[in-house]
């Protein structure tokens, strides 16, 4: 049995790593540039696809706004919307290229060293296991001995990397060299757990930033009239109109949120490609997923301040899932606007109906 344990937990020597530049995914274009332009390419393809479905009235039951009456509520033409969307992507690409100016390719070749160092960190963390079991009144050494014949790997984890492990598994080595078990856990952590954490953190950053900046645009009347009201001119989003907004909103709400997410979560260029492409919003005019799937959608309401989840809306009491009530709220703000009269053109860049006060909700 001792030989089996030794075979299962043999140690590995420290690797030697040499860093080399990573080859680009596509010849002739760096991963940094591809990560910048890919969201625009995906957006254009998706927008064109939805526009074809829209133009030929395909799958009408899956549209967000199936009523022809609602289509009359827009206060911006398709051409005006398209120009703003093109401006959005020009800004996005320009800022991305500026921020990435001078950045070289990612360096690879240190995967073995990262795995080795992570395995050493896991070894240190394993010392906590016997302590936690002791707080529950469980003898880690006894439990490890009892399970060693059934699952040596599980028994080794329970034993930790302290003197308990040395006495239970004399051939497992308790020096600073990680075992094969620790290396396996380290590789799983680096390949799956850490990237999952990065994407989750990036999503948290984007959702948090968009929630509070979006809410600020509704609370502050000046911001609403001058900036955010332009977005609400497009009540029924065209197939390609998801990012129709004032250029200041484009910069500070959309682009900045993803820049912060990438920096805070330490996303690589290739991770940014995946995360950036996810920014194809649900605001395309259609199609919507089948009804059973709506229960799985993180943020099914178009009237909340967040884009991807309802965490902050639920936490701060701004969740708004009642569309009929939201429409009544919008109607009240429009009536209040008419009573105040139109603002001077030099102070406002949108038409009078969008000069609503910031008590309404909506994206």
């Amino acid at each position: 049995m001792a030989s089996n344990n030794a075979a299962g937990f043999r140690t590995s020597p420290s690797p030697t790593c040499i860093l080399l530049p990573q080859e680009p995914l596509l010849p002739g274009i760096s991963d940094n540039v591809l990560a910048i332009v890919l969201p625009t390419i995906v957006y254009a393809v998706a927008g064109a696809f939805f526009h074809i479905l829209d133009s030929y009235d395909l799958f009408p039951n899956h549209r967000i706004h199936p009523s022809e009456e609602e289509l009359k509520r827009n206060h911006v033409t398709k051409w005006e919307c398209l120009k703003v969307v093109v401006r959005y992507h020009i800004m996005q690409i320009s800022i991305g290229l500026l921020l990435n100016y001078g950045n070289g390719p990612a360096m690879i070749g240190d995967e073995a060293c990262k795995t080795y160092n992570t395995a050493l960190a896991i070894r240190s963390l394993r010392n906590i296991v016997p302590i936690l079991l002791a707080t529950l009144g469980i003898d880690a050494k006894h439990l490890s001995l009892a399970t060693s014949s059934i699952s040596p790997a599980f028994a080794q984890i329970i034993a930790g990397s302290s003197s308990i492990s040395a006495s239970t598994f004399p051939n497992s080595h308790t020096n600073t060299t990680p075992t094969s078990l620790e290396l396996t856990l380290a590789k799983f952590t680096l390949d799956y757990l850490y990237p999952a954490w990065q994407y989750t953190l990036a999503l948290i950053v984007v959702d948090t930033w968009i929630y509070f900046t979006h809410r600020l645009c509704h609370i502050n009347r000046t911001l609403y009239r001058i900036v955010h009201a332009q977005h609400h001119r497009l009540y029924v989003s065209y197939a390609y109109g998801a990012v129709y907004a004032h250029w200041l909103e484009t910069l500070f709400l959309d682009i900045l949120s993803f820049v912060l997410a990438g920096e805070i979560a330490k996303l690589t260029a290739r991770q940014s490609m995946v995360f950036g492409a996810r920014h194809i919003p649900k605001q395309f005019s259609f199609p919507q997923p089948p009804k059973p799937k709506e229960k799985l959608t993180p943020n099914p309401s178009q009237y909340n301040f967040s884009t991807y989840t309802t965490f902050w809306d639920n936490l701060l009491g701004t969740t708004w899932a009642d569309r009929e009530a939201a429409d009544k709220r919008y109607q009240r703000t429009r009536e209040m606007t008419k009573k105040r009269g139109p603002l001077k053109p030099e102070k406002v860049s949108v038409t009078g109906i969008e000069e609503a006060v910031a008590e309404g909700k909506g994206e």
Side-chain angles (χ1 to χ4, degrees):
M1 182 60 66
S3 60
N4 291 337
N5 292 339
F9 303 104
R10 59 181 179 273
T11 59
S12 301
S14 176
T16 301
C17 299
I18 300 176
L19 291 177
L20 297 171
Q22 187 178 41
E23 291 294 324
L25 283 174
L26 298 179
I29 180 172
S30 70
D31 286 349
N32 291 329
V33 174
L34 183 59
I36 294 169
V37 301
L38 185 61
T40 296
I41 295 173
V42 174
Y43 189 100
V45 172
F49 174 72
F50 291 148
H51 180 65
I52 292 173
L53 298 181
D54 194 15
S55 299
Y56 290 95
D57 197 25
L58 302 175
F59 308 109
N61 293 334
H62 291 257
R63 290 180 54 90
I64 298 175
H65 299 283
S67 171
E68 292 184 2
E69 178 65 26
E70 287 182 314
L71 296 177
K72 299 177 182 179
R73 302 172 73 174
N74 280 344
H75 297 275
V76 56
T77 66
K78 290 186 176 182
W79 173 242
E80 291 172 332
C81 174
L82 181 61
K83 288 191 294 184
V84 172
V85 170
V86 171
R87 181 189 66 193
Y88 173 99
H89 288 287
I90 291 176
M91 289 179 61
Q92 177 177 274
I93 293 175
S94 301
I95 293 174
L97 293 175
L98 180 63
L99 293 177
N100 279 275
Y101 179 77
N103 290 349
M107 304 301 289
I108 60 174
D110 61 343
E111 292 80 7
C113 293
K114 288 181 178 178
T115 302
Y116 185 86
N117 293 329
T118 303
L120 293 180
I122 290 175
R123 161 162 291 199
S124 300
L125 291 175
R126 282 176 54 200
N127 291 326
I128 302 176
V129 176
I131 299 175
L132 293 177
L133 292 176
T135 60
L136 299 175
I138 301 174
D139 186 342
K141 181 178 180 180
H142 178 76
L143 181 60
S144 180
L145 286 171
T147 57
S148 60
S149 60
I150 302 174
S151 176
F154 179 73
Q156 180 75 357
I157 293 174
I158 294 175
S161 58
S162 60
S163 58
I164 296 177
S165 178
S167 60
T168 307
F169 298 92
N171 295 316
S172 65
H173 301 283
T174 57
N175 55 29
T176 58
T177 305
T179 64
S180 59
L181 171 64
E182 293 164 340
L183 290 172
T184 299
L185 292 175
K187 185 171 178 56
F188 180 80
T189 299
L190 293 174
D191 290 347
Y192 300 102
L193 297 183
Y194 183 63
W197 161 245
Q198 286 179 289
Y199 285 123
T200 302
L201 179 58
L203 177 61
I204 292 172
V205 172
V206 169
D207 211 48
T208 300
W209 182 267
I210 289 180
Y211 174 86
F212 287 101
T213 53
H214 186 191
R215 186 174 181 180
L216 178 63
C217 286
H218 280 263
I219 294 175
N220 187 289
R221 297 188 179 191
T222 302
L223 281 177
Y224 189 93
R225 290 198 307 266
I226 298 177
V227 178
H228 193 56
Q230 179 173 338
H231 177 70
H232 288 286
R233 296 180 67 188
L234 193 65
Y235 184 87
V236 179
S237 181
Y238 299 126
Y240 46 79
V243 294
Y244 177 82
H246 192 279
W247 68 270
L248 282 174
E249 184 171 343
T250 294
L251 178 62
F252 290 102
L253 194 148
D254 287 335
I255 296 178
L256 186 54
S257 66
F258 278 80
V259 171
L260 290 174
E263 290 298 317
I264 293 175
K266 302 298 182 183
L267 298 179
T268 65
R270 295 187 180 184
Q271 287 176 316
S272 297
M273 296 179 198
V274 177
F275 188 73
R278 172 63 181 86
H279 186 42
I280 304 303
K282 62 185 178 304
Q283 292 172 294
F284 284 121
S285 62
F286 109 109
Q288 285 290 285
K291 292 297 180 181
K293 268 190 167 184
E294 290 183 356
K295 296 181 180 180
L296 303 178
T297 306
N299 187 0
S301 172
Q302 63 168 328
Y303 300 105
N304 295 327
F305 291 121
S306 295
T307 298
Y308 299 112
T309 75
T310 56
F311 172 79
W312 287 110
D313 285 293
N314 292 335
L315 182 65
L316 300 179
T318 57
T319 304
W320 195 279
D322 189 342
R323 175 176 173 177
E324 181 179 355
D327 285 340
K328 291 180 180 179
R329 174 74 63 90
Y330 275 125
Q331 183 61 36
R332 289 201 302 269
T333 59
R334 295 189 187 104
E335 292 174 355
M336 293 175 63
T337 297
K338 291 180 181 179
K339 291 180 180 179
R340 289 202 310 268
L343 298 180
K344 294 182 179 180
E346 62 270 17
K347 292 185 179 181
V348 156
S349 59
V350 294
T351 58
I353 199 169
E354 289 81 44
E355 296 158 3
V357 294
E359 64 175 277
K361 295 188 178 184
E363 293 180 352

